[in-house]
Amino acid sequence: MKIAFIGLGNMGAPMALNLVKAGHEVSVFDLVDAAMQRLAEAGAQACASAQSAASGAEVVISMLPAGQHVRRLYLGRDDSPGLFEALNDKPLIIDASTISPEDARVFGEAARTRGLTYLDAPVSGGVGGAQAGTLTFIVGGSQAGFEQARPVLEGMGKNIFHAGEVGAGQVAKICNNMLLGILMSGTAEALALGVKNGLDPAVLSEIIKQSSGGNWALNVYNPWPGVMENSAASRDYQGGFLTDLMAKDLGLAWELALGCKATVPMGSQARNLFALHAAQGNGGLDFSSIQKLYRAGE
């Protein structure tokens, strides 16, 4: 298929690369030229604009940091039209960004009025999942749109879920990431407590991993440096899922809870911890670097 991919960050670049490997004709755009060139070297076509990338595409996929970036791409600004206005064809629109459900519904309605099918399809699985093509896609939108998207999503992911109508994918993703933030901060807290009382972090991790405290953050993405060879923690917390993005997602969870009067005390605490960690200059590090917050003063 002819696919336009917009947004080649830590997640978007490997996702687009997997589409190239799957045999799709992929046109890419990103504000960072070097990111586009790496994809071009792998067989994608680098484009000068999002409009150019989307021209003639059957599917447009976006993977952007936050709602304001998605809004600017699709709806534009006062001085420039958005992609929805520029599309002469009727490609399927798949936004894999994590944004608020309300924003997703606004973009979905704007697409519908122009005869376009829009899906919100945030992902879970991290950079490792993006690179391996094993991401989980959580899709909101029509059943027909979901079935149309499935063959494309299967080129990037292993688990493809239809959560409901437009916005439902974002609700599910926000709930997942709130729990992930809670688990990572709790895991870091437990490891720091054990190490400060003389335990080896690798030994403690294995004990908890085989006990009732085992969880994804510990078992797959251990936050203590040197315990897990391929974790971000063992790369000085470089790459991966940024602290700034986790703080943003926890903020989305808080806003969602506020809107429906849900009680999220642990989610709120995790939000405060990651916000504090980001404010201390760690926003550009992987979110597992929350471990550093508990090691202050060592």
Side-chain angles (χ1 to χ4, degrees):
M1 298 182 71
K2 295 184 69 174
I3 299 173
F5 203 106
I6 301 164
L8 304 174
N10 289 340
M11 294 292 292
M15 291 166 66
L17 180 59
N18 283 329
L19 291 175
V20 173
K21 291 178 178 178
H24 296 290
E25 183 180 337
V26 182
S27 298
V28 298
F29 174 72
D30 192 275
L31 295 175
V32 179
D33 287 338
M36 286 195 289
Q37 291 309 310
R38 285 191 290 270
L39 264 294
E41 291 168 4
Q45 179 182 354
C47 297
S49 67
Q51 289 81 355
S52 175
S55 179
E58 299 168 79
V59 180
V60 175
I61 302 173
S62 49
M63 185 54 150
L64 301 171
Q68 65 263 33
H69 306 106
V70 181
R71 180 179 296 273
R72 189 176 306 161
L73 171 65
Y74 289 120
L75 302 187
R77 294 177 292 187
D78 293 339
D79 58 344
S80 62
L83 195 56
F84 285 163
E85 292 289 348
L87 292 172
N88 294 320
D89 304 309
K90 301 294 182 184
L92 174 66
I93 309 294
I94 304 174
D95 180 43
S97 317
T98 298
I99 61 177
S100 76
E102 183 56 35
D103 277 347
R105 296 182 188 111
V106 168
F107 305 146
E109 179 60 20
R112 188 193 65 79
T113 61
R114 293 166 174 81
L116 299 166
T117 299
Y118 171 94
L119 303 175
D120 61 298
V123 303
S124 180
V127 173
Q131 293 170 341
T134 58
L135 290 171
T136 294
F137 281 89
I138 312 163
V139 183
S142 68
Q143 184 66 41
F146 174 72
E147 295 301 334
Q148 186 182 353
R150 184 190 288 274
V152 177
L153 300 181
E154 286 175 344
M156 301 177 286
K158 181 179 180 181
N159 302 298
I160 317 295
F161 292 101
H162 187 208
E165 294 302 313
V166 171
Q170 300 297 343
V171 173
K173 173 62 187 295
I174 287 169
C175 292
N176 177 81
N177 274 25
M178 182 181 75
L179 182 56
L180 175 59
I182 293 167
L183 290 172
M184 184 58 80
S185 59
T187 294
E189 186 174 310
L191 291 177
L193 176 63
V195 170
K196 287 181 178 180
N197 282 276
L199 295 184
D200 183 311
V203 173
L204 177 57
S205 293
E206 190 61 27
I207 291 169
I208 299 175
K209 183 178 178 180
Q210 301 300 329
S211 304
S212 56
N215 65 82
W216 187 92
L218 178 83
N219 300 354
V220 179
Y221 215 76
N222 195 295
W224 198 280
V227 171
M228 188 170 288
E229 182 179 355
N230 296 318
S231 70
S234 296
R235 303 191 305 271
D236 200 24
Y237 300 110
Q238 297 301 309
F241 183 55
L242 302 186
T243 296
D244 277 341
L245 294 180
M246 175 54 84
K248 181 263 293 185
D249 288 358
L250 289 166
L252 291 175
W254 185 81
E255 291 170 1
L256 189 66
L258 189 65
C260 65
K261 296 181 174 62
T263 302
V264 288
M266 295 180 72
S268 296
Q269 178 74 340
R271 172 179 176 263
N272 291 339
L273 289 169
F274 277 97
L276 173 62
H277 185 51
Q280 291 176 343
N282 301 294
L285 299 180
D286 182 81
F287 82 110
S288 62
S289 66
I290 193 74
Q291 185 70 77
K292 291 160 60 77
L293 190 68
Y294 295 97
R295 298 182 68 180
E298 285 188 2

